[in-house]
Amino acid sequence: MKLPDLTELALRNLRESILRNSLTTVGISVGVASLVAMLSLGIGLQQLASRRLMKSGLFDTIVVTSRREPRNFGRDEDRNSPPSADSRLLDEPSRVELNRLPNVIEANPDIRFATELRYDDKPYLTTVAALPESSQSTDAFESIQGHFFTSDTAPEAILQKSFAAELLGRPHNTGANETSVSELAAPLLGKELIMSYAQRETSPNAPAPAVPGTASTLGSENAAASYSVVSRQQKLKIIGVVDLDPESMRGPTRGRVFIPLKLAESLHVMQPTDLRELSSSSGDQTLYSSVSVRVKDPAQIRATEDAIKKMGFNTFSILDATRSLQQFFAVLDLFLGIFGSLALAVASIGIVNTLVMAILERRREIGIMKAIGASDLDVKKLFFAEAGAMGVLGGFVGVALGWAIGHVINLGTNIYLRRQALPPEHFWSVPWWLVGAAILFSFVVSLVAGLYPAARAARLDPVQALRYE
Amino acid sequence: MSVIQASPADAPTVAIPAIRVDNLCRHYRMGETLIRAVDGVSLEVRAGEFIALLGASGSGKSSVLNLLAGLDRPTAGSVIVLGRDLARLSREELARYRLHTVGMVFQSFNLIPSMTVAENVELPLRFAEVNRSERDGMTNTALARVGLQSRMHHRPSELSGGEQQRVALARALINRPQFLLADEPTGNLDSRTGTEIMNMVREFNQQLGMTVVMVTHERALAERYAERLIHLADGKLVSDEPNSRAVSTEPISTASEGSLA
Ligand SMILES: Nc1ncnc2c1ncn2[C@@H]1O[C@H](COP(=O)(O)OP(=O)(O)OP(=O)(O)O)[C@@H](O)[C@H]1O
Ligand SMILES: [Mg+2]
């Protein structure tokens, strides 16, 4: 029998015992709905998590360091790669080269230094970090009080919340009675900070022995090398306060006071790197302790990292963190999928039941069809078609139902979130592939459920079936 | 199909029988006892013949007919139809044989109640995978032959017994088979309607050249229509004789002759 005839006959047969078949189909729908709802929750949560992480600017960032200073950056890079011939200095030309790699949006030096800031004539020792303009779009600066830098060279500063509290002489307590960012920002915005720093000036004089010790204890007195260090001051206007935890982050946002990147570069602040590179020949070049590379496509981050490693640098990205996150969601989706499928499995037993009942009821009809020339295969196909039709119908209804359930849960949760004064979230998502896959899955499960009834119907002996009325 | 449609006038070609049944047995085992429903029947049917299978209830008439129809397989012996041994055909081949070579009608009509008259008649065409465009025409022709065109959108339950059997006849000839196998086709009908149906069967036999094997226990009916009477008793053939009293010259309408051939 041809497919159109098959479908027509199958649908006709389904209509014949409409109540029973509808109930079976509803069973399948509920199964599909639970599967869709579960998986869309898993997918939604995953998307929410990766959206969050992506926005934090961590996922798409590779931190590049020179191999010549293996201890400078941290614990994550290859320690076993010796400073070989292919190791390179991280200077401006290499930054430009990094910038030109495929999949790279921008490569910015990480400038961070400890220095003294004066506010209200009182000195505060803190870490200043430079921010590229692109940081503005990251999650961290979404909730800024005040505004982002007016330009990349503006003498402006954004304060980290705890530092703002320190300037105001308030105790920084975390927890429920934490002072809000806006409260801290109000008295500070528009005020002036005076930053004292050590400027590095090239002087091609006698080389001096390298200064041992930890890099972070930088003072202008230590300056006695192929360049001289001059003490300078820079006025900064406070334009924003952000709620950032400086310890939780890597990359450019590890600081308590932020200034524009171009401004920071123009200041030529003495950095830890400078002390380590005393013996190097590139005394006239600014060396970066690290460069942050932002990539276009985080999925391609490994390839970009490899390209950078080939250039002779060490790299670090939290790709590994992403990977374990993906693993977590894969497991979560699997479990949600299994629980969702359970309902569908139960529903498929309903299909078996319905079709076996149909065989008993339609014994005579099957006998007639065989007597007038239907083959075993025709009968088998007809029962398959009925099972498949119930599967597809149940699949469509189920997807709609699952979508609705997820929507309602999402809505309900958002109402709850709003009550708790939290921003609404979209933690639930039904991608098109899930719609297609759910219907297909429902179809396949129904066909599998139809295997036994169809085989049984096909084996029916027509003489026996026609013998008794 | 037309190749195997010999006309009754081809008497000299009897050398090759259309059906040849040889020592046919169909036994059923019921626990300890063996029921010999058909027990060593041998007979030949020539193309175009009209044969009646007679016998008491339980004599094995239906069993023989089902074996001829390829609905059942013999325990022993052979049924050779147009040179092919049905016992050696696969289930699939038997289905095709039932679809194209034989048409069946039953005492209880065996129409599918959920389908309309037209759909019932059309059903074998679906199994034969005939194109949709040709099907309507064929269904109409078949229904016209049994005079039921006006009832084609009715359900079988809305028809009288005679009309239902006419629908069954239309369905039996829709695939233009060579054989018509009828199992007590008038058993559920009054004698007037029964005669109507029998006239129709004879029309198929004479005008379309269909070979008819009809099971009946009504001797009068058999003697009026069949050319040959075969008697069964306890699964065995008791007599096989030509019927001289058959009224084959009864005036019948020839208007639709050849319209299906
Ligand atoms: N499936 C079966 N199992 C056991 N015995 C069977 C089976 N089918 C038929 N028989 C037996 O075979 C014998 C012949 O049956 P069959 O139906 O061929 O008789 P029949 O001549 O057609 O009778 P009737 O005129 O009543 O239709 C009967 O005794 C019947 O009980
Ligand atoms: Mg019988």
Side-chain angles (χ1 to χ4, degrees), chain B residues 29-256:
Chain B
R29 181 166 287 285
M30 299 286 278
E32 287 298 293
T33 54
L34 187 72
I35 298 163
R36 298 166 198 270
V38 181
D39 197 17
V41 170
S42 298
L43 59 92
E44 284 183 4
V45 180
R46 275 167 281 128
E49 262 190 312
F50 192 140
I51 288 179
L53 277 181
L54 289 152
S57 184
S59 57
K61 307 180 297 288
S62 295
S63 300
V64 169
L65 199 76
N66 288 337
L67 288 165
L68 296 184
L71 273 177
D72 200 3
R73 285 178 187 276
T75 311
S78 59
V79 180
I80 294 161
V81 180
L82 305 171
R84 289 195 302 170
D85 189 349
L86 297 191
R88 294 203 182 152
L89 297 187
S90 68
R91 290 175 71 90
E92 181 67 34
E93 285 167 325
L94 271 182
R96 296 205 71 73
Y97 164 78
R98 291 195 297 269
L99 184 60
H100 293 290
T101 314
V102 300
M104 288 195 87
V105 284
F106 305 88
Q107 179 175 358
S108 50
F109 321 131
N110 281 340
L111 298 175
I112 293 176
S114 61
M115 292 183 174
T116 64
V117 164
E119 285 166 340
N120 265 288
V121 174
E122 188 194 17
L123 195 55
L125 297 179
R126 295 197 201 240
F127 296 134
E129 300 193 350
V130 174
N131 281 337
R132 220 158 248 264
S133 53
E134 296 169 45
R135 290 206 302 240
D136 284 349
M138 292 170 78
T139 306
N140 275 325
T141 314
L143 279 173
R145 186 160 265 282
V146 298
L148 276 178
Q149 256 176 315
S150 58
R151 311 299 299 271
M152 60 189 287
H153 298 303
H154 290 242
R155 296 263 174 139
S157 57
E158 295 159 1
L159 269 56
S160 73
E163 287 165 337
Q164 288 189 50
Q165 195 62 297
R166 274 146 72 189
V167 175
L169 278 173
R171 182 180 67 184
L173 58 86
I174 188 93
N175 265 328
R176 303 167 195 173
Q178 193 187 349
F179 299 95
L180 179 67
L181 306 181
D183 195 346
E184 309 213 28
T186 61
N188 278 357
L189 305 172
D190 60 59
S191 65
R192 226 187 71 113
T193 323
T195 307
E196 227 174 86
I197 295 297
M198 285 314 297
N199 284 339
M200 228 162 238
V201 171
R202 182 165 55 197
E203 203 178 305
F204 293 172
N205 173 245
Q206 295 187 342
Q207 292 174 18
L208 305 178
M210 285 174 95
T211 307
V212 177
V213 178
M214 179 180 75
V215 166
T216 182
H217 57 256
E218 289 178 70
R219 197 179 171 96
L221 204 72
E223 284 179 346
R224 188 162 162 211
Y225 291 95
E227 297 167 47
R228 222 168 110 202
L229 308 176
I230 292 173
H231 282 263
L232 293 177
D234 293 331
K236 292 192 168 67
L237 192 147
V238 245
S239 73
D240 180 351
E241 57 207 20
N243 175 25
S244 47
R245 281 178 282 182
V247 199
S248 56
T249 49
E250 207 170 301
I252 43 166
S253 146
T254 53
S256 52

Side-chain angles (χ1 to χ4, degrees), chain A residues 332-399:
Chain A
L332 181 73
D333 286 350
L334 186 73
F335 273 98
L336 290 175
I338 286 171
F339 279 116
S341 307
L342 228 56
L344 196 58
V346 172
S348 73
I349 295 170
I351 297 183
V352 177
N353 183 46
T354 301
L355 289 181
V356 169
M357 294 252 301
I359 292 172
L360 296 179
E361 254 172 38
R362 278 158 40 199
R363 247 176 91 82
R364 186 163 197 92
E365 193 177 310
I366 297 166
I368 294 169
M369 291 199 293
K370 286 194 153 190
I372 63 173
S375 65
D376 290 5
L377 194 66
D378 286 328
V379 175
K380 197 180 267 188
K381 278 200 244 171
L382 188 59
F383 274 80
F384 261 139
E386 285 176 38
M390 283 196 275
V392 170
L393 285 175
F396 273 102
V397 176
V399 165

Side-chain angles (χ1 to χ4, degrees), chain A residues 311-324:
Chain A
M311 283 169 64
F313 297 111
N314 283 335
T315 60
F316 169 80
S317 71
I318 51 168
L319 181 78
D320 301 330
T322 335
R323 191 159 292 156
S324 56

